[in-house]
Amino acid sequence: MSETVYDLHSHSLASDGTLSPADLVARAARFGVGVLALSDHDTTAGVPDARAAAAGHGLELVPAVEVSVTWNNRTLHIVGLHVDLDHRPLQAGLARLRDYRHWRAREIARRLERHGIPEPYEGARSYARGTIISRTHFAQHLVALGRAGSVREVFKHYLVSGRPGHVHGEWAGLEEAVGWIRGAGGQAVIAHPARYKLTATKLRELISDFQDLGGEGIEVVSGSHGRDEVLAMAAHARRSGLLASVGSDFHGPGNAFVELGALAPLPDGCRPVWSAW
Ligand code: AMP
Ligand code: MN
Ligand code: MN
Ligand code: MN
């Protein structure tokens, strides 16, 4: 018997991924994933279709969400695993974040338009196939316009701090996000912690705040972590007692992200998030 492959962080067309939930699940099964979490940004709209598809592939689908958070003036992502989709405060909180996304999209568009980009809102909107609009959709539009060679390049030149289309995020508080997830019976997990470029002191502060609120896990293995980052995050997990999660953060084939299930094993001494299931 080979060991079950867990991939606890992925995206579909319901947010900024490029595959439908059913196609995502089929691909995960094809790449040997046994347990997949669909964790779209600020929405669970893709979960029912993913769940239905999973049954046909003998794959376990974990209902999940990746919540956008502002903590100490920075944007962070908190994944909620095994959330009850019918929990009203969670859905009300996510709806508020989607409303904010729509306001922010108008604001990003206004800035890009001033910068000479034609019809940025309509363009981004045409890539957004679900209920959220993301910076990724603006990036796809700008690539199609020939303003940059790749989504990554668009982020660098247009969408990050100091660039013409940047809008400072005002997302959920950490306490709100963890509260919604726990209220919905889920496990809260700090997503791709190495991406935030926090000092070790700041990261310890985040972990301490997060644990005080009832947060339980941290992504140790992530598609956006290099080898050294995996080891550094494993040390944080062991020191703090947080459970360790594993997720590709897959957004679709043919981009710079890691393939579904193509993840390193958890370093020794980490307790996996699924040990609590
Ligand atoms: P948003 O939540 O709308 O601000 O968009 C964040 C999303 O943009 C992330 O989840 C990634 O999918 C994508 N993203 C962020 N930074 C980059 C980057 N440098 N290159 C490519 N995609 C990025
Ligand atoms: Mn994304
Ligand atoms: Mn993220
Ligand atoms: Mn993600």
Side-chain angles (χ1 to χ4, degrees), residues 9-11 39 41 66 77 192 249 251:
H9 187 149
S10 70
H11 297 274
S39 55
H41 298 287
E66 183 173 17
H77 291 168
H192 43 62
D249 204 1
H251 281 68

Side-chain angles (χ1 to χ4, degrees), residues 7 31 50 61 80 95 134-135 177 182 208-209 219 238 244 261:
D7 190 336
F31 282 87
L61 194 279
S134 159
R135 282 186 295 167
R182 281 169 54 82
S208 162
D209 285 2
E219 285 181 358
R238 286 190 296 259

Side-chain angles (χ1 to χ4, degrees), residues 90-227:
L90 171 68
Q91 292 301 347
L94 298 180
R96 187 186 100 205
L97 295 179
R98 294 193 297 271
D99 284 347
Y100 169 69
R101 281 183 173 280
H102 282 102
W103 176 86
R104 184 190 68 156
R106 292 281 183 196
E107 196 59 29
I108 292 173
R110 206 170 56 79
R111 292 172 196 216
L112 291 176
E113 209 159 2
R114 271 204 315 246
H115 199 71
I117 310 285
E119 306 202 321
Y121 184 82
E122 293 70 18
R125 208 48 242 171
S126 73
Y127 289 93
R129 304 265 304 277
T131 55
I132 75 137
I133 184 159
S134 159
R135 282 186 295 167
T136 304
H137 301 128
F138 282 95
Q140 289 165 340
H141 175 56
L142 267 70
V143 170
L145 288 177
R147 295 293 176 128
S150 68
V151 162
R152 196 167 287 264
E153 287 292 304
V154 179
F155 270 86
K156 196 164 122 196
H157 295 295
Y158 292 92
L159 299 176
V160 297
S161 181
R163 296 302 183 180
H166 181 255
V167 176
H168 192 78
E170 289 171 33
W171 304 105
L174 185 64
E175 182 167 6
E176 289 182 306
V178 176
W180 299 335
I181 291 165
R182 281 169 54 82
Q187 262 176 327
V189 175
I190 301 172
H192 43 62
R195 274 248 297 266
Y196 312 129
K197 305 293 173 206
L198 300 171
T199 61
T201 308
K202 266 278 165 207
L203 181 54
R204 281 198 296 269
E205 195 187 312
L206 168 62
I207 289 172
S208 162
D209 285 2
F210 180 67
Q211 288 183 301
D212 287 348
L213 297 168
E216 292 176 70
I218 186 167
E219 285 181 358
V220 168
V221 174
S222 161
S224 53
H225 288 172
R227 223 184 110 75

Side-chain angles (χ1 to χ4, degrees), residues 5 7 24-34 59 250 253 259-262:
V5 175
D7 190 336
L24 178 80
V25 166
R27 187 180 181 92
R30 189 148 56 83
F31 282 87
V33 175
L59 179 148
F250 181 80
E259 186 55 73
L260 286 162

